[in-house]
Amino acid sequence: MATVTLENLRKSYGKTEVIHGVDIDITDGEFIVIVGPSGCGKSTLLRMVAGLETVTSGDIQIDGRNVNSVEPMDRDIAMVFQNYALYPHMSVFDNMAYGLKIAKVPKDEIAKRVANAAEILQLEPYLKRKPRELSGGQRQRVAMGRAIVRKPAVFLFDEPLSNLDAKLRVQMRLEIKALQRDLGVTSLYVTHDQVEAMTLADRMIVMNSGVADQIGKPLDVYADPATEFVAGFIGSPPTNFLDAGQLGRRVEGGAKVGIRPEHIRIVPQTETDFAGKVVYSEPLGAETLVHLKLLDGEDVTVRQEGALPIPEEGESCGLSWEAKDEMIFSEDGSRVRQSGS
Amino acid sequence: MAHGFAMEKRVTFKGMWLPLLLIAPQIVITAVFFFYPAGQAIWQSLFIPDPFGLSMQWVGLGNFEFLLKDPFYRASFVTTAIFSTLVTVVSMGVALYLAVLADRLIKGSGTYRTLLIWPYAVAPAVAGVLWLFMFNTRVGVVTWYLGLLGYDWNHVLNDSEAMGLVVVASAWGRVSYNFLFFLAGLQAIPKSVIEAAAIDGARFWTRFRTIVFPLLSPTTFFLLVVNIIYAFFETFGVIHTITGGGPQQATTILVYKVYSDGFVGQDLGSSAAQSVILLVIVSILTVVQFKYIERRVHY
């Protein structure tokens, strides 16, 4: 159990800075998800916390102790890797017991802890097998088991589900969440999948080219993105961005208007100034995604109830939304707040 | 190597002539340079020729009988065992050490690697001469420095110094070869496995002992067999140039004894019998290599 604090954390490779100062206070037991597209520096950030990458400047504190120059083994952390990084020549039992053996934990205590972890993760029938004799999901569990038997202060997850198929991913996601709740261990979880981020996180850090664009609770981030990047990255299908000038929205410094697909309604053309042609519709059952092209060539996606009539391809429709749902962004992508809103 | 044979592609030929034609060069080479001499050796090992090579007398297994009773031949076995063990251990140990260092290197690893590979290009006999000059009892630079330290180096008279010198000279050229394989083996171990072990609390030496070395075992086993075969046979040039098998018989390994008994001692029958014994030994080593490399060492 521990708090983790990152203070103006920076990382450079030679002259290229890849992490441009990240600050966050993580409270004990919190589940933090670092999310962003590939190359945004999220894995580097995690590996710095793990001690696998050096810190160029800034501070990392685990439970109030500065660990900048502390070796990974002395940081009281456990990490689950994307490719699981199991020891191929050891049995499942030995994989999980490895860290405990090194820590010179008594044999009966090791047996007890591994048995306990195996029970939680349903690995009991496989303890004698080698990793290569396991399926992807089982390997994933062994990697989790290896992390939990050591009872670390902090769990680090580096895209642990990205090698699993879609169905297993959803299942493991729920299990990780439940496990983290049960154990109450402070966790940092890296993913590029915004659905994983939304569902797992107590708070999430949205990374964009080495900058933490926004840190907050998933729903807060969704409802109130701080930058154009966050608005576009969080949410599927992504936010529609329209030219502010074309829309006639005169807000100082505003260049673009973002509207989430679910906030746009298709209405008769007589009721609105905005119209577009339907390019194609995707009926998904519970909802329908309608992709349109506006008269000035901009693409817009509308998400509507599955029960509503599905517009025909090529049909012209009017589009309408409420002014309060508009998010205005400046040229450089930052959010422009209108006074009083 | 042990892995990598999985993606086999089979081509089937319709007729019989094309495949025969295609393997013919290999068959011819093997026949002329292996089966024919090997057959000759086996045949000759059953005879004793007279000193002028004009007539041969059938002795059956007499040559072998004599060899097994011969204290010099038995001594040569012991010498070979000591020599090949030392060469293998030294060359593999040094190579592994250098490979571990090179594996940690990020900058300049290309240069480092190239420099380490060079000795492999030096022919054993040339390497022997090189070392001989450095350790020459009168003009050798190492001998001179050792003299300054108060050590009187003389491998011409001292058994163990002679053995030490041929071991070092033989191992030296071999380090490059072993280094390449060890480095490739080390680089094939996923970085994340090492990192996981580091996070699990294992420090460098523990990681090496419990993770790296076991994962290197296919490479190590392969090199072990290859190096033993090297020490048995290919070190002839080094021994011939440095010690000529001496002093007395201190560095006469089996393959050198084949030469000295046969071509110097003119005992062609015994020499042939010794070749046959070596042939058996190398066959066993090869079988061991093929049998175990696929199974035992694979995790």
Side-chain angles (χ1 to χ4, degrees):
Chain A
M1 316 296 117
T3 59
V4 176
T5 306
L6 309 184
E7 250 177 55
N8 194 20
L9 197 61
R10 286 168 192 276
K11 173 78 188 174
S12 308
Y13 292 108
K15 279 183 185 155
T16 327
E17 194 171 73
V18 292
I19 306 274
H20 310 285
V22 173
D23 290 273
I24 185 172
D25 276 308
I26 302 168
T27 58
D28 187 16
E30 206 174 4
F31 200 131
I32 297 289
V33 175
I34 306 169
V35 63
S38 55
C40 72
K42 56 190 191 300
S43 279
T44 309
L45 190 64
L46 190 80
R47 290 169 59 83
M48 283 162 85
V49 177
L52 299 172
E53 298 278 351
T54 56
V55 173
T56 307
S57 77
D59 279 318
I60 302 172
Q61 290 173 12
I62 296 179
D63 226 6
R65 177 174 70 124
N66 186 311
V67 294
N68 278 18
S69 50
V70 174
E71 292 285 321
M73 50 280 249
D74 301 322
R75 292 191 180 196
D76 199 11
I77 51 162
M79 185 156 167
V80 177
F81 291 82
Q82 180 174 359
N83 61 3
Y84 320 134
L86 300 178
Y87 311 127
H89 57 302
M90 294 185 196
S91 67
V92 169
F93 181 93
D94 288 334
N95 261 283
M96 293 204 265
Y98 184 73
L100 299 176
K101 280 181 187 161
I102 286 168
K104 301 219 161 59
V105 174
K107 270 221 171 95
D108 49 338
E109 171 74 11
I110 294 179
K112 214 166 72 190
R113 284 212 223 168
V114 173
N116 187 27
E119 194 194 327
I120 295 174
L121 296 162
Q122 298 147 37
L123 282 171
E124 283 155 318
Y126 311 111
L127 283 175
K128 288 208 176 80
R129 294 212 193 158
K130 295 276 172 67
R132 72 186 139 92
E133 298 162 328
L134 301 177
S135 69
Q138 289 163 344
R139 285 179 205 183
Q140 167 64 48
R141 281 167 212 271
V142 177
M144 297 277 299
R146 193 168 62 181
I148 64 177
V149 290
R150 288 185 35 229
K151 301 186 176 163
V154 182
F155 279 148
L156 304 174
F157 298 90
D158 190 4
E159 308 217 19
L161 303 183
S162 53
N163 285 3
L164 300 178
D165 63 54
K167 198 178 161 199
L168 206 51
R169 203 179 304 161
V170 174
Q171 186 195 338
M172 285 305 293
R173 195 169 77 204
L174 295 171
E175 287 182 23
I176 288 178
K177 179 81 173 172
L179 197 62
Q180 198 268 345
R181 281 280 166 278
D182 284 352
L183 301 172
V185 177
T186 313
S187 301
L188 265 88
Y189 186 109
V190 161
T191 180
H192 62 268
D193 181 347
Q194 50 105 9
V195 178
E196 253 172 53
M198 294 292 288
T199 50
L200 285 172
D202 290 327
R203 278 193 297 160
M204 59 190 202
I205 305 176
V206 186
M207 296 281 293
N208 175 22
S209 346
V211 177
D213 262 18
Q214 190 167 9
I215 299 174
K217 292 184 177 147
L219 289 179
D220 292 351
V221 172
Y222 185 82
D224 193 15
T227 65
E228 183 184 336
F229 171 80
V230 175
F233 190 75
I234 303 295
S236 172
T239 302
N240 298 297
F241 294 102
L242 302 170
D243 192 277
Q246 298 274 3
L247 286 177
R249 292 292 183 277
R250 307 248 174 269
V251 180
E252 203 174 320
K256 275 185 183 170
V257 176
I259 310 144
R260 294 228 176 252
E262 63 268 32
H263 290 146
I264 308 180
R265 281 170 298 124
I266 292 176
V267 294
Q269 272 181 286
T270 48
E271 287 177 24
T272 172
D273 301 338
F274 302 108
K277 249 192 172 86
V278 176
V279 181
Y280 62 98
S281 301
E282 295 176 290
L284 301 173
E287 61 185 28
T288 304
L289 303 180
V290 184
H291 302 277
L292 304 107
K293 224 172 197 42
L294 296 187
L295 297 177
D296 57 10
E298 284 180 296
D299 293 315
V300 170
T301 303
V302 177
R303 175 194 227 153
Q304 62 175 24
E305 285 285 319
L308 291 173
I310 300 164
E312 290 290 317
E313 220 169 273
E315 195 183 323
S316 290
C317 307
L319 299 174
S320 164
W321 59 84
E322 289 179 38
K324 71 171 173 60
D325 292 327
E326 288 182 357
M327 303 177 282
I328 299 173
F329 300 98
S330 71
E331 199 66 61
D332 65 6
S334 63
R335 183 86 180 261
V336 179
R337 310 270 177 188
Q338 286 163 281
S339 51
S341 73
Chain B
M1 297 228 21
H3 22 72
F5 291 129
M7 32 183 182
E8 219 175 345
K9 240 187 189 173
R10 280 181 193 277
V11 180
T12 10
F13 291 102
K14 285 216 176 82
M16 202 43 198
W17 287 108
L18 182 62
L20 273 182
L21 187 74
L22 291 175
I23 58 167
Q26 184 63 48
I27 296 279
V28 169
I29 287 171
T30 314
V32 171
F33 293 102
F34 179 72
F35 287 118
Y36 176 67
Q40 283 264 306
I42 294 171
W43 182 245
Q44 274 188 14
S45 70
L46 305 174
F47 294 87
I48 298 182
D50 71 79
F52 305 102
L54 299 173
S55 66
M56 300 219 290
Q57 191 192 340
W58 170 266
V59 291
L61 295 175
N63 282 322
F64 294 96
E65 225 172 279
F66 177 79
L67 277 176
L68 296 180
K69 283 188 199 143
D70 180 12
F72 287 111
Y73 192 63
R74 282 196 236 159
S76 176
F77 250 103
V78 176
T79 309
T80 310
I82 295 171
F83 174 77
S84 45
T85 309
L86 285 175
V87 169
T88 307
V89 169
V90 170
S91 64
M92 285 178 67
V94 173
L96 181 58
Y97 176 72
L98 293 173
V100 168
L101 294 185
D103 189 40
R104 298 181 61 150
L105 211 65
I106 300 162
K107 272 187 198 163
S109 58
T111 322
Y112 184 73
R113 235 175 285 172
T114 312
L115 287 176
L116 275 170
I117 292 162
W118 273 354
Y120 190 52
V122 179
V126 178
V129 171
L130 206 98
W131 285 87
L132 182 62
F133 271 117
M134 287 199 288
F135 282 89
N136 185 291
T137 47
R138 265 158 294 171
V139 298
V141 60
V142 180
T143 312
W144 188 69
Y145 279 116
L146 284 172
L148 290 185
L149 293 172
Y151 189 86
D152 184 19
W153 176 271
N154 195 336
H155 66 265
V156 182
L157 295 177
N158 186 313
D159 286 8
S160 35
E161 284 176 9
M163 177 58 93
L165 187 55
V166 286
V167 165
V168 168
S170 309
W172 174 73
R174 209 56 195 172
V175 166
S176 312
Y177 181 88
N178 296 344
F179 168 78
L180 278 183
F181 277 89
F182 274 134
L183 188 63
L186 286 171
Q187 290 180 338
I189 298 174
K191 278 275 170 300
S192 59
V193 171
I194 307 293
E195 290 173 348
I199 289 175
D200 261 348
R203 274 160 223 287
F204 182 78
W205 178 240
T206 316
R207 284 203 299 271
F208 184 78
R209 201 166 42 79
T210 57
I211 307 283
V212 177
F213 197 69
L215 292 184
L216 264 185
S217 59
T219 309
T220 311
F221 191 78
F222 165 78
L223 286 178
L224 194 67
V225 176
V226 168
N227 278 287
I228 290 174
I229 292 176
Y230 163 82
F232 260 67
F233 299 99
E234 287 167 56
T235 48
F236 176 87
V238 172
I239 290 179
H240 192 55
T241 47
I242 296 184
T243 63
Q248 297 227 292
Q249 277 219 5
T251 54
T252 303
I253 60 168
L254 291 171
V255 72
Y256 199 78
K257 198 162 165 60
V258 170
Y259 162 80
S260 60
D261 283 4
F263 296 94
V264 183
Q266 290 292 302
D267 187 355
L268 289 174
S270 172
S271 175
Q274 291 177 31
S275 312
V276 173
I277 292 174
L278 276 177
L279 194 70
V280 172
I281 293 174
V282 79
S283 308
I284 293 170
L285 278 175
T286 314
V287 169
V288 167
Q289 176 183 359
F290 277 111
K291 264 207 126 121
Y292 286 81
I293 207 159
E294 290 289 334
R295 281 191 271 137
R296 282 209 58 149
V297 201
H298 226 249
Y299 38 81

